[in-house]
Short mmCIF file of all heavy atoms in Angstrom, two decimals:
data_model
loop_
_atom_site.label_atom_id
_atom_site.label_comp_id
_atom_site.label_asym_id
_atom_site.label_seq_id
_atom_site.Cartn_x
_atom_site.Cartn_y
_atom_site.Cartn_z
N GLY A 30 -34.13 43.95 3.72
CA GLY A 30 -35.05 45.01 4.15
C GLY A 30 -36.19 44.50 4.99
O GLY A 30 -37.28 45.11 4.97
N LEU A 31 -35.96 43.42 5.73
CA LEU A 31 -37.01 42.85 6.56
C LEU A 31 -37.04 43.48 7.95
O LEU A 31 -35.99 43.69 8.56
CB LEU A 31 -36.82 41.31 6.72
CG LEU A 31 -36.74 40.47 5.44
CD1 LEU A 31 -36.47 39.03 5.78
CD2 LEU A 31 -38.03 40.62 4.66
N ILE A 32 -38.25 43.79 8.38
CA ILE A 32 -38.42 44.29 9.77
C ILE A 32 -38.80 43.12 10.65
O ILE A 32 -39.79 42.41 10.37
CB ILE A 32 -39.53 45.37 9.81
CG1 ILE A 32 -39.17 46.55 8.94
CG2 ILE A 32 -39.81 45.78 11.25
CD1 ILE A 32 -40.28 47.58 8.76
N VAL A 33 -37.98 42.85 11.65
CA VAL A 33 -38.22 41.70 12.53
C VAL A 33 -38.16 42.17 13.98
O VAL A 33 -37.12 42.76 14.40
CB VAL A 33 -37.17 40.58 12.31
CG1 VAL A 33 -37.45 39.42 13.23
CG2 VAL A 33 -37.16 40.11 10.86
N GLU A 34 -39.23 41.95 14.71
CA GLU A 34 -39.28 42.36 16.13
C GLU A 34 -39.73 41.18 16.99
O GLU A 34 -40.75 40.59 16.71
CB GLU A 34 -40.26 43.55 16.32
CG GLU A 34 -39.85 44.76 15.55
CD GLU A 34 -40.85 45.92 15.72
OE1 GLU A 34 -41.86 45.69 16.46
OE2 GLU A 34 -40.65 46.98 15.15
N GLN A 35 -38.94 40.88 18.00
CA GLN A 35 -39.26 39.81 18.93
C GLN A 35 -38.50 40.09 20.22
O GLN A 35 -37.39 39.65 20.41
CB GLN A 35 -38.86 38.44 18.36
CG GLN A 35 -39.33 37.29 19.25
CD GLN A 35 -38.91 35.93 18.66
OE1 GLN A 35 -38.06 35.85 17.83
NE2 GLN A 35 -39.56 34.85 19.15
N PRO A 36 -39.11 40.83 21.15
CA PRO A 36 -38.43 41.22 22.41
C PRO A 36 -37.95 40.06 23.23
O PRO A 36 -36.91 40.12 23.88
CB PRO A 36 -39.52 42.00 23.14
CG PRO A 36 -40.45 42.49 22.07
CD PRO A 36 -40.46 41.37 21.05
N SER A 37 -38.67 38.92 23.23
CA SER A 37 -38.26 37.77 24.01
C SER A 37 -38.69 36.47 23.35
O SER A 37 -39.52 36.50 22.43
CB SER A 37 -38.85 37.82 25.41
OG SER A 37 -40.26 37.60 25.38
N LYS A 38 -38.20 35.37 23.82
CA LYS A 38 -38.45 34.05 23.23
C LYS A 38 -39.93 33.67 23.35
O LYS A 38 -40.44 32.93 22.50
CB LYS A 38 -37.57 33.00 23.94
CG LYS A 38 -37.67 31.61 23.30
CD LYS A 38 -36.69 30.65 23.96
CE LYS A 38 -36.72 29.28 23.32
NZ LYS A 38 -35.72 28.35 23.90
N THR A 39 -40.60 34.16 24.39
CA THR A 39 -41.98 33.78 24.63
C THR A 39 -42.99 34.66 23.83
O THR A 39 -44.18 34.37 23.85
CB THR A 39 -42.31 33.86 26.13
OG1 THR A 39 -42.03 35.20 26.61
CG2 THR A 39 -41.44 32.87 26.90
N GLN A 40 -42.49 35.70 23.23
CA GLN A 40 -43.39 36.58 22.51
C GLN A 40 -43.42 36.26 21.00
O GLN A 40 -42.41 35.74 20.46
CB GLN A 40 -42.99 38.05 22.72
CG GLN A 40 -43.20 38.53 24.15
CD GLN A 40 -42.79 39.97 24.35
OE1 GLN A 40 -41.60 40.26 24.40
NE2 GLN A 40 -43.77 40.85 24.46
N ASP A 41 -44.52 36.60 20.36
CA ASP A 41 -44.62 36.35 18.91
C ASP A 41 -43.67 37.25 18.13
O ASP A 41 -43.36 38.36 18.53
CB ASP A 41 -46.07 36.62 18.45
CG ASP A 41 -47.06 35.64 18.99
OD1 ASP A 41 -46.63 34.54 19.36
OD2 ASP A 41 -48.27 35.97 19.07
N VAL A 42 -43.25 36.71 16.99
CA VAL A 42 -42.38 37.48 16.09
C VAL A 42 -43.26 38.34 15.20
O VAL A 42 -44.21 37.87 14.59
CB VAL A 42 -41.52 36.56 15.22
CG1 VAL A 42 -40.66 37.40 14.27
CG2 VAL A 42 -40.69 35.64 16.04
N ILE A 43 -42.95 39.62 15.20
CA ILE A 43 -43.62 40.54 14.27
C ILE A 43 -42.64 40.77 13.13
O ILE A 43 -41.52 41.32 13.38
CB ILE A 43 -44.01 41.85 14.96
CG1 ILE A 43 -44.96 41.58 16.12
CG2 ILE A 43 -44.63 42.80 13.98
CD1 ILE A 43 -45.25 42.79 16.97
N HIS A 44 -43.00 40.41 11.94
CA HIS A 44 -42.04 40.55 10.84
C HIS A 44 -42.68 40.82 9.51
O HIS A 44 -43.87 40.59 9.30
CB HIS A 44 -41.24 39.23 10.71
CG HIS A 44 -42.06 38.06 10.29
ND1 HIS A 44 -42.22 37.71 8.96
CD2 HIS A 44 -42.73 37.12 11.01
CE1 HIS A 44 -42.99 36.65 8.87
NE2 HIS A 44 -43.32 36.25 10.11
N THR A 45 -41.90 41.36 8.61
CA THR A 45 -42.31 41.63 7.24
C THR A 45 -42.61 40.28 6.56
O THR A 45 -41.87 39.32 6.75
CB THR A 45 -41.21 42.32 6.45
OG1 THR A 45 -40.77 43.48 7.19
CG2 THR A 45 -41.69 42.78 5.08
N SER A 46 -43.72 40.21 5.80
CA SER A 46 -44.05 38.98 5.13
C SER A 46 -43.93 39.06 3.62
O SER A 46 -44.63 38.37 2.90
CB SER A 46 -45.49 38.57 5.51
OG SER A 46 -45.58 38.26 6.90
N GLU A 47 -43.08 39.94 3.17
CA GLU A 47 -42.94 40.19 1.72
C GLU A 47 -42.45 38.98 0.96
O GLU A 47 -41.42 38.40 1.30
CB GLU A 47 -42.03 41.39 1.45
CG GLU A 47 -41.94 41.77 -0.02
CD GLU A 47 -41.05 42.97 -0.24
OE1 GLU A 47 -40.09 43.15 0.55
OE2 GLU A 47 -41.31 43.73 -1.16
N MET A 48 -43.20 38.58 -0.05
CA MET A 48 -42.81 37.45 -0.92
C MET A 48 -42.14 38.02 -2.19
O MET A 48 -42.71 38.90 -2.83
CB MET A 48 -44.03 36.64 -1.31
CG MET A 48 -43.74 35.44 -2.19
SD MET A 48 -45.25 34.50 -2.62
CE MET A 48 -45.58 33.70 -1.04
N LEU A 49 -40.96 37.52 -2.50
CA LEU A 49 -40.24 37.97 -3.67
C LEU A 49 -40.25 36.93 -4.77
O LEU A 49 -40.04 35.73 -4.48
CB LEU A 49 -38.77 38.30 -3.33
CG LEU A 49 -38.51 39.43 -2.34
CD1 LEU A 49 -36.99 39.57 -2.09
CD2 LEU A 49 -39.08 40.76 -2.86
N PHE A 50 -40.47 37.36 -5.97
CA PHE A 50 -40.44 36.45 -7.13
C PHE A 50 -39.22 36.83 -7.96
O PHE A 50 -39.08 38.00 -8.44
CB PHE A 50 -41.70 36.63 -7.97
CG PHE A 50 -42.99 36.23 -7.28
CD1 PHE A 50 -43.67 37.13 -6.47
CD2 PHE A 50 -43.50 34.97 -7.44
CE1 PHE A 50 -44.81 36.78 -5.82
CE2 PHE A 50 -44.68 34.56 -6.78
CZ PHE A 50 -45.33 35.49 -5.98
N VAL A 51 -38.32 35.86 -8.16
CA VAL A 51 -37.08 36.11 -8.88
C VAL A 51 -37.05 35.21 -10.13
O VAL A 51 -37.34 34.02 -10.06
CB VAL A 51 -35.85 35.74 -8.00
CG1 VAL A 51 -34.56 35.99 -8.73
CG2 VAL A 51 -35.92 36.53 -6.67
N ASN A 52 -36.73 35.82 -11.28
CA ASN A 52 -36.74 35.03 -12.52
C ASN A 52 -35.47 34.20 -12.68
O ASN A 52 -34.57 34.26 -11.86
CB ASN A 52 -36.98 35.94 -13.74
CG ASN A 52 -35.84 36.90 -14.01
OD1 ASN A 52 -34.71 36.72 -13.58
ND2 ASN A 52 -36.12 37.92 -14.82
N SER A 53 -35.41 33.41 -13.74
CA SER A 53 -34.29 32.51 -13.94
C SER A 53 -33.00 33.24 -14.28
O SER A 53 -31.92 32.64 -14.29
CB SER A 53 -34.61 31.49 -15.07
OG SER A 53 -34.86 32.20 -16.28
N ASN A 54 -33.09 34.55 -14.57
CA ASN A 54 -31.89 35.36 -14.77
C ASN A 54 -31.39 35.98 -13.50
O ASN A 54 -30.45 36.77 -13.51
CB ASN A 54 -32.17 36.44 -15.80
CG ASN A 54 -32.55 35.84 -17.15
OD1 ASN A 54 -31.90 34.93 -17.65
ND2 ASN A 54 -33.57 36.40 -17.81
N GLY A 55 -32.03 35.64 -12.38
CA GLY A 55 -31.59 36.16 -11.08
C GLY A 55 -32.05 37.56 -10.77
O GLY A 55 -31.46 38.23 -9.94
N LYS A 56 -33.16 38.02 -11.40
CA LYS A 56 -33.66 39.38 -11.15
C LYS A 56 -35.00 39.31 -10.43
O LYS A 56 -35.88 38.55 -10.81
CB LYS A 56 -33.84 40.13 -12.48
CG LYS A 56 -32.55 40.29 -13.27
CD LYS A 56 -31.55 41.21 -12.59
CE LYS A 56 -30.34 41.46 -13.46
NZ LYS A 56 -29.33 42.29 -12.75
N GLU A 57 -35.16 40.16 -9.42
CA GLU A 57 -36.46 40.31 -8.77
C GLU A 57 -37.43 40.88 -9.77
O GLU A 57 -37.13 41.88 -10.43
CB GLU A 57 -36.35 41.23 -7.54
CG GLU A 57 -35.48 40.67 -6.44
CD GLU A 57 -35.37 41.64 -5.24
OE1 GLU A 57 -36.22 42.55 -5.18
OE2 GLU A 57 -34.43 41.47 -4.44
N MET A 58 -38.62 40.29 -9.86
CA MET A 58 -39.60 40.75 -10.84
C MET A 58 -40.90 41.26 -10.20
O MET A 58 -41.48 42.24 -10.64
CB MET A 58 -39.94 39.61 -11.82
CG MET A 58 -38.76 39.15 -12.65
SD MET A 58 -38.14 40.42 -13.75
CE MET A 58 -39.49 40.52 -14.95
N TYR A 59 -41.33 40.55 -9.13
CA TYR A 59 -42.59 40.92 -8.48
C TYR A 59 -42.41 40.75 -6.97
O TYR A 59 -41.57 39.99 -6.50
CB TYR A 59 -43.73 40.02 -8.95
CG TYR A 59 -44.01 40.11 -10.44
CD1 TYR A 59 -43.38 39.23 -11.31
CD2 TYR A 59 -44.88 41.09 -10.95
CE1 TYR A 59 -43.59 39.29 -12.70
CE2 TYR A 59 -45.11 41.16 -12.34
CZ TYR A 59 -44.47 40.27 -13.18
OH TYR A 59 -44.67 40.34 -14.54
N ASP A 60 -43.28 41.43 -6.19
CA ASP A 60 -43.32 41.20 -4.76
C ASP A 60 -44.73 41.44 -4.26
O ASP A 60 -45.56 42.06 -4.92
CB ASP A 60 -42.31 42.09 -4.00
CG ASP A 60 -42.53 43.59 -4.25
OD1 ASP A 60 -43.70 44.03 -4.32
OD2 ASP A 60 -41.54 44.31 -4.39
N GLY A 61 -45.00 40.90 -3.09
CA GLY A 61 -46.34 41.02 -2.50
C GLY A 61 -46.29 40.57 -1.06
O GLY A 61 -45.35 39.95 -0.62
N ASN A 62 -47.35 40.89 -0.31
CA ASN A 62 -47.45 40.50 1.11
C ASN A 62 -48.62 39.57 1.34
O ASN A 62 -49.77 40.02 1.39
CB ASN A 62 -47.57 41.76 1.96
CG ASN A 62 -46.29 42.54 2.05
OD1 ASN A 62 -45.33 42.18 2.71
ND2 ASN A 62 -46.23 43.67 1.32
N PRO A 63 -48.35 38.28 1.46
CA PRO A 63 -49.45 37.32 1.73
C PRO A 63 -50.22 37.69 2.96
O PRO A 63 -49.67 38.28 3.90
CB PRO A 63 -48.68 35.99 1.93
CG PRO A 63 -47.40 36.17 1.16
CD PRO A 63 -47.06 37.61 1.37
N GLN A 64 -51.50 37.37 2.97
CA GLN A 64 -52.39 37.79 4.02
C GLN A 64 -52.69 36.66 5.03
O GLN A 64 -52.67 35.49 4.71
CB GLN A 64 -53.71 38.30 3.43
CG GLN A 64 -53.48 39.47 2.44
CD GLN A 64 -54.57 39.55 1.37
OE1 GLN A 64 -55.58 38.89 1.47
NE2 GLN A 64 -54.35 40.37 0.39
N ASP A 65 -52.98 37.09 6.27
CA ASP A 65 -53.36 36.16 7.31
C ASP A 65 -54.87 35.89 7.19
O ASP A 65 -55.67 36.25 8.06
CB ASP A 65 -53.04 36.81 8.67
CG ASP A 65 -53.38 35.90 9.84
OD1 ASP A 65 -53.68 34.69 9.59
OD2 ASP A 65 -53.39 36.37 11.00
N ASP A 66 -55.24 35.23 6.09
CA ASP A 66 -56.63 34.99 5.81
C ASP A 66 -56.73 33.73 4.96
O ASP A 66 -56.36 33.71 3.79
CB ASP A 66 -57.23 36.19 5.04
CG ASP A 66 -58.71 36.02 4.76
OD1 ASP A 66 -59.27 34.98 5.14
OD2 ASP A 66 -59.32 36.97 4.18
#
């Protein structure tokens, strides 16, 4: 479910930055979006 946009090689990639946390049973448990800060 990632949104990735990059019209050309010289342009920056605009993309989803969602971080997924998966437990040892293989289940997603938490998610969040790290900040550019």
Side-chain angles (χ1 to χ4, degrees):
L31 302 177
I32 298 173
V33 181
E34 298 178 1
Q35 187 181 18
S37 71
K38 186 175 182 177
T39 57
Q40 292 180 286
D41 291 337
V42 180
I43 300 173
H44 66 91
T45 309
S46 295
E47 185 178 31
M48 180 180 288
L49 296 179
F50 296 86
V51 181
N52 68 19
S53 59
N54 297 317
K56 300 293 184 182
E57 295 178 18
M58 297 296 291
Y59 301 91
D60 58 39
N62 288 285
Q64 301 153 11
D65 181 12
D66 183 359

